[in-house]
Amino acid sequence: MGYRVVVAGATGNVGREMLNILAEREFPIDEIAVVASSRSTGDMIDFGETGKQLKVQNIEHFDPTGWDMALFAIGSEGSAQYAPKFAAAGCTVIDNASLYRMDPDVPLIVPEVNPEAIDGYRAKNIIANPNCSTAQMVVALKPLHDAAKIKRVVVATYQSVSGAGKAGMDELFEQSRNIFVGDQADPKKFTKQIAFNVIPHIDSFLDDGSTKEEWKMVVETKKILDPKIKVTATCVRVPVFVGHSEAINIEFEDEISAEQAQSILREAPGIMLIDKREDGGYVTPIECVGEYATFVSRVREDSTVDNGLSLWCVSDNLRKGAALNAVQIAELLGRRHLQKAD
């Protein structure tokens, strides 16, 4: 016996990846429905590599009654409109948008980090998926925090254009092509040219000079991992199609060596440590595409602070940063609460 599952926003980058991962991981499904806006109604979409095609239904007319869970990838505006409707009908919503992440009645879950927090989901019948850059970072931080207690994190991100959706990927491709043939490369989706450039600006600016993306990393890390950890972030968009990278500097309360950290990370759930101190002995975004793991490299001691480490963290943002984490939440929900699958 399996679950009745809805994927909302199934025609977008993250929605398609959700379908791929549900199929890959053989999630126990009795029935699956794909829903999206009226623009996509009637389109056919592949259910991973199962050979099965699913017909997109209009979310406006879809009745969620009797469905067990819905994986949402429809943005905050869509979630505001439809998540309460699905939740009220008894269909637990796992939401990829930012809307509910900081709601005290909505668990914000990374299964390798705070699985027990899912137990509070019944308050609103909604579970939030964290920001892509936060998700991979806390997977790397959690086992180190357990070992030596983190005081402060300084992170600079190198975020791929897929984090801005299909429009971001299209813009990088078109600008690159235009530059090679001598045409204009005017920005549309981004504030400046993204091809052969980096942009230190993701999401809107806040009054203190930080961006909303940076704020999300700060507050979400506190909610998921530990409210006492101090976090400062600089989030940068780079001309990479898929895969977010992060340079993370960590200050601990207790002493921890690079060798100890490597040993801990080697055994940690969700982590793949690839850290050889030689040419190419580290992971870059190209190698992480399509992978489940959060990759860690370049672990080294920081002599400028007491008990400091620096490391490099890379992950497929469409997977661990979004779709994979949502499916892992669905698996966790099934195991801990719904328990319908054999």
Side-chain angles (χ1 to χ4, degrees), residues 5 125 263:
V5 178
N125 208 21
S263 179

Side-chain angles (χ1 to χ4, degrees), residues 323-341:
L324 171 62
N325 201 72
V327 173
Q328 288 177 306
I329 291 171
E331 292 168 345
L332 180 65
L333 177 68
R335 283 196 307 272
R336 285 180 79 106
H337 294 286
L338 303 185
Q339 298 173 339
K340 284 176 67 172

Side-chain angles (χ1 to χ4, degrees), residues 134-172:
T134 306
Q136 69 185 71
M137 184 171 78
V138 295
V139 169
L141 294 181
K142 165 66 174 171
L144 299 175
H145 183 54
D146 288 347
K149 200 153 190 189
I150 295 170
K151 288 169 60 178
R152 181 170 183 256
V153 175
V154 181
V155 57
T157 71
Y158 307 76
Q159 293 178 230
S160 66
V161 294
S162 57
K166 183 178 182 296
M169 298 178 78
D170 288 347
E171 184 151 317
L172 174 57

Side-chain angles (χ1 to χ4, degrees), residues 194-212:
I194 185 60
F196 309 100
N197 197 19
V198 298
I199 305 172
H201 171 199
I202 300 176
D203 212 323
S204 54
F205 273 96
L206 305 177
D207 290 342
D208 67 354
S210 63
T211 64
K212 197 170 179 186

Side-chain angles (χ1 to χ4, degrees), residues 205-248:
F205 273 96
L206 305 177
D207 290 342
D208 67 354
S210 63
T211 64
K212 197 170 179 186
E213 184 82 357
E214 292 155 358
W215 173 82
K216 288 176 196 171
M217 291 195 75
V218 173
V219 295
E220 291 176 21
T221 299
K222 288 174 177 285
K223 182 172 178 178
I224 296 165
L225 190 55
D226 189 334
K228 293 177 183 165
I229 294 176
K230 294 177 180 178
V231 182
T232 181
T234 301
C235 294
V236 182
R237 189 74 72 192
V238 298
V240 169
F241 283 106
V242 178
H244 287 357
S245 306
E246 297 172 347
I248 307 173

Side-chain angles (χ1 to χ4, degrees), residues 248-283:
I248 307 173
N249 180 266
I250 313 162
E251 187 179 351
F252 296 87
E253 283 192 13
D254 303 322
E255 193 173 334
I256 182 169
S257 68
E259 195 174 330
Q260 286 172 312
Q262 287 169 322
S263 179
I264 290 163
L265 291 165
R266 199 173 283 116
E267 302 300 321
I271 294 284
M272 181 73 72
L273 180 75
I274 298 180
D275 192 12
K276 297 176 182 175
R277 295 177 178 180
E278 60 187 45
D279 293 353
Y282 41 80
V283 172

Side-chain angles (χ1 to χ4, degrees), residues 2-193:
Y3 301 98
R4 300 184 76 214
V5 178
V6 183
V7 176
T11 55
N13 285 345
V14 173
R16 288 177 187 273
E17 205 62 40
M18 285 173 171
L19 290 170
N20 290 338
I21 293 168
L22 286 167
E24 283 173 19
R25 292 171 77 90
E26 298 181 344
F27 187 83
I29 291 173
D30 276 354
E31 187 177 357
I32 187 163
V34 291
V35 301
S37 68
S38 57
R39 289 192 309 274
S40 304
T41 303
D43 290 356
M44 301 301 293
I45 189 165
D46 291 331
F47 182 28
E49 295 182 2
T50 61
K52 185 177 180 182
Q53 285 208 313
L54 306 170
K55 190 173 186 178
V56 179
Q57 301 178 54
N58 189 338
I59 192 170
E60 292 175 40
H61 306 141
F62 185 80
D63 182 1
T65 306
W67 293 81
D68 295 304
M69 58 181 83
L71 279 60
F72 270 40
I74 54 176
S76 289
E77 198 174 312
S79 292
Q81 187 172 356
Y82 294 108
K85 176 186 169 184
F86 275 64
C91 178
T92 303
V93 173
I94 299 168
D95 186 28
N96 195 59
S98 61
L99 182 68
Y100 292 104
R101 289 177 190 157
M102 298 315 297
D103 186 323
D105 292 326
V106 174
L108 180 64
I109 302 295
V110 177
E112 299 94 334
V113 179
N114 62 336
E116 68 292 334
I118 202 171
D119 297 345
Y121 85 98
R122 286 194 177 94
K124 286 194 173 174
N125 208 21
I126 298 170
I127 304 163
N129 209 19
N131 185 42
C132 47
S133 46
T134 306
Q136 69 185 71
M137 184 171 78
V138 295
V139 169
L141 294 181
K142 165 66 174 171
L144 299 175
H145 183 54
D146 288 347
K149 200 153 190 189
I150 295 170
K151 288 169 60 178
R152 181 170 183 256
V153 175
V154 181
V155 57
T157 71
Y158 307 76
Q159 293 178 230
S160 66
V161 294
S162 57
K166 183 178 182 296
M169 298 178 78
D170 288 347
E171 184 151 317
L172 174 57
F173 177 80
E174 287 163 13
Q175 283 185 356
S176 300
R177 182 182 58 191
N178 288 352
I179 288 166
F180 276 121
V181 299
D183 288 346
Q184 289 288 107
D186 297 326
K188 294 172 190 161
K189 175 69 179 177
F190 300 113
T191 54
K192 299 203 175 193
Q193 177 186 311

